[in-house]
Amino acid sequence: MAQAYVQVTTTTDERAEAAELAAAAVSERLAACAQVLGPIASTYWWEGEIETAEEWMVLFKTTADRFEELAGLINEQHSYETPEIIATPVVAGSADYLGWVSEQTVEPAVEEDELEIID
């Protein structure tokens, strides 16, 4: 079966936090690439009120297989009570680019010196 790809979106109210989320996801190989865009203007309902805020968007390029782990990282490190985590399927793309995404999101092998030996 062919590899499935997704673009995952989140937003945050600070550029530094967006950059930290991007770096963490790429460092952990949960995304091949993460782009920070902004500032953007967001209008939304929150706790019964319409809010307007300046936010920064992060777009993560990854495989569908890595989505759950990426969502977990975003939930764990995000400052929002309910962060946006939306995965949009990639229906087509450059074979070379998608191959690169696959290569960069392979879960790193455990180094021999990191293994715990149980007797």
Side-chain angles (χ1 to χ4, degrees):
M1 177 182 232
Q3 178 82 53
Y5 301 90
V6 293
Q7 179 171 277
V8 178
T9 306
T10 196
T11 55
T12 187
D13 61 356
E14 293 187 17
R15 185 185 193 292
E17 183 178 2
E20 289 169 9
L21 289 168
V26 172
S27 174
E28 299 272 336
R29 295 208 177 260
L30 299 177
C33 171
Q35 299 166 315
V36 175
L37 296 84
I40 59 171
S42 296
T43 303
Y44 52 90
W45 281 99
W46 184 249
E47 297 182 348
E49 302 283 332
I50 293 179
E51 299 280 336
T52 300
E54 182 175 279
E55 293 186 299
W56 297 83
M57 179 181 290
V58 187
L59 300 176
F60 304 92
K61 309 319 193 283
T62 191
T63 61
D65 290 345
R66 300 296 272 169
F67 171 75
E68 290 300 329
E69 287 178 275
L70 176 57
L73 178 132
I74 294 168
N75 268 316
E76 180 181 301
Q77 295 189 9
H78 207 292
S79 64
Y80 287 3
E81 180 181 330
T82 307
E84 170 187 359
I85 304 173
I86 296 175
T88 304
V90 174
V91 297
S94 156
D96 289 340
Y97 181 79
L98 296 177
W100 174 79
V101 170
S102 291
E103 290 170 12
Q104 300 312 311
T105 55
V106 171
E107 194 165 355
V110 175
E111 297 295 323
E112 188 173 318
D113 62 339
E114 294 176 2
L115 294 175
E116 182 180 339
I117 299 176
I118 301 173
D119 290 321

